[in-house]
Amino acid sequence: RFSTVAANELRYVANELEGIVGGKDVVVAITIWSHFSTFPVEVYIRRLRNIRRAVLRLLDRSPGTLVVLKTANVQELTPEVSLYNSDWFSLQLDSVLRSMFRGLDVVLVDAWEMTLAHYLPHALHPPPIIIKNQIDVFLSHICHDRRS
Protein backbone atom coordinates (compact mmCIF):
# COMPACT_ATOMS: atom_id res chain seq x y z
CA ARG A 1 0.00 0.00 0.00
CA PHE A 2 2.93 2.35 0.59
CA SER A 3 5.98 2.96 -1.56
CA THR A 4 9.45 2.06 -0.35
CA VAL A 5 11.10 4.60 1.95
CA ALA A 6 14.71 4.46 3.08
CA ALA A 7 14.99 4.05 6.86
CA ASN A 8 17.28 7.09 7.14
CA GLU A 9 14.46 9.23 5.69
CA LEU A 10 11.91 8.23 8.33
CA ARG A 11 11.03 10.91 10.85
CA TYR A 12 9.15 10.49 14.11
CA VAL A 13 6.84 13.29 15.22
CA ALA A 14 8.06 13.02 18.82
CA ASN A 15 11.71 13.40 17.73
CA GLU A 16 10.87 16.37 15.52
CA LEU A 17 9.05 18.08 18.41
CA GLU A 18 12.21 17.85 20.51
CA GLY A 19 14.03 20.02 17.99
CA ILE A 20 11.43 22.79 17.91
CA VAL A 21 12.17 26.01 19.73
CA GLY A 22 8.65 27.09 20.58
CA GLY A 23 7.26 30.40 21.69
CA LYS A 24 4.27 32.69 21.39
CA ASP A 25 4.76 32.99 17.61
CA VAL A 26 5.17 29.28 16.96
CA VAL A 27 2.39 26.94 15.84
CA VAL A 28 2.86 23.19 15.57
CA ALA A 29 0.27 21.24 13.57
CA ILE A 30 0.06 17.46 13.85
CA THR A 31 -2.08 15.01 11.91
CA ILE A 32 -1.19 11.36 12.26
CA TRP A 33 -4.13 8.93 12.31
CA SER A 34 -4.31 7.85 8.66
CA HIS A 35 -0.87 6.28 8.50
CA PHE A 36 -1.83 4.02 11.38
CA SER A 37 -5.21 2.91 10.07
CA THR A 38 -3.82 -0.45 8.96
CA PHE A 39 -1.91 -1.16 12.19
CA PRO A 40 -3.21 -2.57 15.48
CA VAL A 41 -4.48 0.16 17.79
CA GLU A 42 -1.73 -0.71 20.30
CA VAL A 43 0.91 0.55 17.84
CA TYR A 44 -0.98 3.83 17.47
CA ILE A 45 -1.31 4.19 21.25
CA ARG A 46 2.45 3.71 21.72
CA ARG A 47 3.19 6.33 19.08
CA LEU A 48 0.69 8.79 20.57
CA ARG A 49 2.16 8.34 24.05
CA ASN A 50 5.55 9.37 22.72
CA ILE A 51 4.05 12.34 20.90
CA ARG A 52 2.10 13.35 24.02
CA ARG A 53 5.27 13.31 26.14
CA ALA A 54 7.09 15.36 23.50
CA VAL A 55 4.22 17.88 23.37
CA LEU A 56 4.32 18.21 27.16
CA ARG A 57 8.07 18.83 27.06
CA LEU A 58 7.61 21.42 24.29
CA LEU A 59 4.90 23.21 26.27
CA ASP A 60 7.05 23.08 29.42
CA ARG A 61 10.04 24.71 27.75
CA SER A 62 7.93 27.10 25.61
CA PRO A 63 4.50 27.62 27.20
CA GLY A 64 3.27 30.06 24.54
CA THR A 65 3.54 27.49 21.74
CA LEU A 66 0.25 26.61 20.06
CA VAL A 67 -0.12 22.90 19.30
CA VAL A 68 -2.95 21.95 16.94
CA LEU A 69 -4.04 18.37 16.29
CA LYS A 70 -6.22 17.45 13.32
CA THR A 71 -8.54 14.57 14.09
CA ALA A 72 -9.33 11.65 11.80
CA ASN A 73 -11.86 11.99 9.00
CA VAL A 74 -14.27 9.67 7.23
CA GLN A 75 -13.20 8.21 3.92
CA GLU A 76 -14.62 6.54 0.86
CA LEU A 77 -14.76 2.79 1.40
CA THR A 78 -14.53 1.10 -1.96
CA PRO A 79 -14.59 -2.71 -1.96
CA GLU A 80 -10.79 -2.76 -2.15
CA VAL A 81 -10.23 -0.16 0.58
CA SER A 82 -12.70 -1.88 2.89
CA LEU A 83 -10.42 -4.94 2.92
CA TYR A 84 -7.87 -3.07 5.06
CA ASN A 85 -9.69 0.02 6.36
CA SER A 86 -12.97 1.09 7.92
CA ASP A 87 -14.54 4.21 9.34
CA TRP A 88 -15.29 2.22 12.49
CA PHE A 89 -11.58 1.63 13.09
CA SER A 90 -10.73 5.22 12.12
CA LEU A 91 -13.27 6.38 14.69
CA GLN A 92 -11.52 4.22 17.30
CA LEU A 93 -8.20 5.89 16.40
CA ASP A 94 -9.91 9.27 16.61
CA SER A 95 -11.23 8.44 20.10
CA VAL A 96 -7.77 7.37 21.23
CA LEU A 97 -6.26 10.64 19.94
CA ARG A 98 -8.89 12.74 21.73
CA SER A 99 -8.43 10.81 24.98
CA MET A 100 -4.64 10.96 24.79
CA PHE A 101 -4.59 14.75 24.49
CA ARG A 102 -7.61 15.58 26.68
CA GLY A 103 -6.70 18.09 29.36
CA LEU A 104 -3.57 19.31 27.59
CA ASP A 105 -3.18 22.85 26.33
CA VAL A 106 -3.70 21.85 22.69
CA VAL A 107 -6.36 22.61 20.08
CA LEU A 108 -8.26 20.05 18.02
CA VAL A 109 -9.46 20.66 14.48
CA ASP A 110 -12.43 18.32 14.32
CA ALA A 111 -12.03 16.89 10.83
CA TRP A 112 -14.27 13.93 11.67
CA GLU A 113 -17.37 16.06 12.14
CA MET A 114 -16.42 18.35 9.25
CA THR A 115 -16.22 15.46 6.79
CA LEU A 116 -19.10 13.41 8.21
CA ALA A 117 -21.55 16.33 8.08
CA HIS A 118 -20.59 17.56 4.61
CA TYR A 119 -22.79 16.75 1.62
CA LEU A 120 -19.82 15.82 -0.61
CA PRO A 121 -18.77 12.16 -0.83
CA HIS A 122 -16.41 10.89 1.80
CA ALA A 123 -12.73 10.81 0.82
CA LEU A 124 -9.48 10.05 2.62
CA HIS A 125 -8.17 13.29 1.13
CA PRO A 126 -11.21 15.57 1.35
CA PRO A 127 -12.11 17.96 -1.47
CA PRO A 128 -10.92 21.59 -1.43
CA ILE A 129 -14.02 23.08 0.24
CA ILE A 130 -13.63 20.80 3.27
CA ILE A 131 -9.89 21.50 3.41
CA LYS A 132 -10.71 25.23 3.30
CA ASN A 133 -13.12 24.79 6.22
CA GLN A 134 -10.44 22.93 8.19
CA ILE A 135 -7.87 25.63 7.43
CA ASP A 136 -10.35 28.31 8.49
CA VAL A 137 -10.83 26.58 11.85
CA PHE A 138 -7.06 26.16 12.18
CA LEU A 139 -6.46 29.83 11.42
CA SER A 140 -9.21 30.92 13.83
CA HIS A 141 -6.96 29.66 16.63
CA ILE A 142 -3.92 31.47 15.26
CA CYS A 143 -5.24 34.75 13.93
CA HIS A 144 -6.47 36.39 17.11
CA ASP A 145 -4.87 38.18 20.01
CA ARG A 146 -2.87 35.39 21.70
CA ARG A 147 -1.36 37.70 24.33
CA SER A 148 -4.27 37.19 26.71
Side-chain angles (χ1 to χ4, degrees):
R1 189 178 139 190
F2 297 108
S3 60
T4 304
V5 177
N8 64 345
E9 293 179 18
L10 291 175
R11 301 271 211 233
Y12 291 95
V13 173
N15 292 349
E16 295 297 314
L17 289 170
E18 297 301 340
I20 293 175
V21 178
K24 68 178 185 65
D25 295 322
V26 175
V27 178
V28 175
I30 301 170
T31 181
I32 187 172
W33 73 274
S34 179
H35 297 280
F36 288 88
S37 61
T38 57
F39 289 87
V41 71
E42 294 81 8
V43 173
Y44 185 62
I45 290 169
R46 275 196 307 271
R47 192 61 58 85
L48 284 182
R49 282 181 180 152
N50 289 329
I51 293 170
R52 184 183 196 281
R53 284 192 291 265
V55 165
L56 286 171
R57 286 189 296 272
L58 172 61
L59 295 174
D60 279 347
R61 70 178 177 268
S62 303
T65 307
L66 177 62
V67 177
V68 181
L69 296 153
K70 181 180 161 286
T71 67
N73 58 265
V74 293
Q75 58 186 303
E76 179 184 18
L77 296 171
T78 64
E80 180 188 351
V81 170
S82 64
L83 292 174
Y84 54 83
N85 235 324
S86 75
D87 281 343
W88 179 87
F89 189 67
S90 295
L91 181 59
Q92 304 316 302
L93 297 180
D94 188 62
S95 296
V96 168
L97 176 104
R98 291 170 190 266
S99 295
M100 190 70 67
F101 289 92
R102 184 174 293 124
L104 269 61
D105 190 16
V106 300
V107 171
L108 293 180
V109 172
D110 195 343
W112 187 269
E113 291 296 327
M114 295 174 104
T115 54
L116 184 64
H118 207 280
Y119 66 87
L120 289 174
H122 298 163
L124 178 60
H125 300 285
I129 186 63
I130 295 175
I131 302 267
K132 182 194 178 306
N133 291 340
Q134 292 173 357
I135 291 171
D136 287 346
V137 170
F138 174 74
L139 291 175
S140 75
H141 293 285
I142 297 169
C143 301
H144 63 84
D145 187 359
R146 292 189 58 213
R147 291 175 287 185
S148 54

